[in-house]
């Protein structure tokens, strides 16, 4: 026969859709964290997960402070590729950063708004890295004299301060525990 074997092509004009699933806008991160996401695309070619200083141009790759550039991603389950990468936040200074996930398919599709930072093939969220523990100091601690009989209510004074070097992360909880030994209750 004069005919060659048929060649099959897949016509693809659809952009990959990315979603950062592990964190939300302004999430506070410390220690080792796992960044996860999903990319909806049948023919994924590559993706890039990166951190930039807050305010950086996320299309200027020289400004990245960390990245995972995957050029041979795992096969999708259905049409979704799940990604997961660990990162030790203690390698960076405390402060705000931009977490960026971007993808491109084998046909070269990605958002036409490539430098705008918006669209379905790129997601950018701001996160706060805070590895500095708050400090607390008890400034006044007046207890009754030893041996003085007390009622079940506490008549002493405890005062102190709690501060966080990074005011943007905020203190979430202050816990004061009093452990009193040799407490004797009397009834009259």
């Amino acid at each position: 026969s004069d005919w060659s074997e048929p060649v099959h092509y897949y016509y693809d004009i659809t952009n990959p859709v990315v979603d950062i699933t592990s964190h939300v806008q302004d999430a506070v991160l410390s220690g080792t964290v796992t960044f996860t996401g999903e990319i909806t695309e049948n023919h994924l070619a590559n993706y890039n997960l990166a951190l930039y200083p807050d305010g950086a141009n996320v299309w200027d790759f020289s400004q990245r402070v960390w990245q995972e550039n995957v050029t041979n991603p795992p096969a999708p389950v259905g049409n979704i590729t799940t990604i997961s990468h660990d990162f030790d936040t203690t390698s960076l200074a405390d402060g705000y950063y931009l977490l960026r996930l971007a993808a491109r398919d084998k046909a070269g599709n990605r958002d036409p708004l490539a430098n705008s930072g918006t669209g379905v093939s790129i997601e950018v969220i701001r996160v706060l890295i805070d590895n500095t523990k708050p400090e607390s100091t008890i400034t006044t601690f007046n207890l009754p004299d030893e041996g003085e009989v007390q009622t079940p209510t506490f008549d002493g004074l405890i005062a102190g301060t709690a501060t966080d070097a990074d005011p943007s992360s905020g203190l979430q909880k202050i816990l004061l525990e009093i452990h009193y030994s040799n407490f004797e209750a009397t009834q009259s």
Side-chain angles (χ1 to χ4, degrees):
S1 133
D2 294 340
W3 295 96
S4 64
E5 290 295 316
V7 176
H8 300 277
Y9 293 94
Y10 182 81
Y11 182 67
D12 183 358
I13 58 169
T14 304
N15 295 333
V17 177
V18 301
D19 183 26
I20 297 171
T21 57
S22 57
H23 297 89
V24 296
Q25 182 77 7
D26 293 323
V28 179
L29 312 177
S30 64
T32 299
V33 296
T34 302
F35 295 129
T36 60
E38 292 182 344
I39 303 169
T40 304
E41 171 60 50
N42 286 321
H43 307 285
L44 184 61
N46 66 300
Y47 68 87
N48 179 270
L49 182 66
L51 275 172
Y52 294 78
D54 191 28
N57 175 355
V58 296
W59 291 96
D60 180 353
F61 301 143
S62 69
Q63 294 185 31
R64 293 180 290 211
V65 294
W66 172 84
Q67 76 161 340
E68 288 290 338
N69 191 38
V70 178
T71 57
N72 189 17
V77 175
N79 66 342
I80 296 176
T81 300
T82 301
I83 66 164
S84 178
H85 296 280
D86 292 335
F87 175 67
D88 181 5
T89 65
T90 62
S91 66
L92 296 175
D94 285 2
Y96 281 102
Y97 292 84
L98 300 174
L99 177 62
R100 171 189 181 258
L101 175 59
R104 180 187 317 239
D105 68 16
K106 291 179 181 176
N109 294 316
R110 63 180 177 149
D111 288 315
L113 306 172
N115 291 326
S116 71
T118 61
V120 296
S121 297
I122 178 173
E123 183 176 13
V124 179
I125 63 169
R126 188 172 84 153
V127 295
L128 174 63
I129 292 179
D130 182 7
N131 286 299
T132 304
K133 294 181 180 180
E135 294 182 16
S136 62
T137 305
I138 295 179
T139 56
T140 306
F141 191 70
N142 296 328
L143 290 176
D145 293 333
E146 186 173 336
E148 187 177 333
V149 177
Q150 288 292 303
T151 62
T153 61
F154 179 75
D155 291 333
L157 170 68
I158 298 174
T161 61
T163 59
D164 192 337
D166 185 355
S168 56
S169 66
L171 291 170
Q172 291 185 359
K173 178 169 55 171
I174 298 173
L175 175 65
L176 173 65
E177 291 185 63
I178 299 174
H179 298 274
Y180 192 83
S181 62
N182 299 325
F183 179 76
E184 293 179 21
T186 58
Q187 280 186 327
S188 51

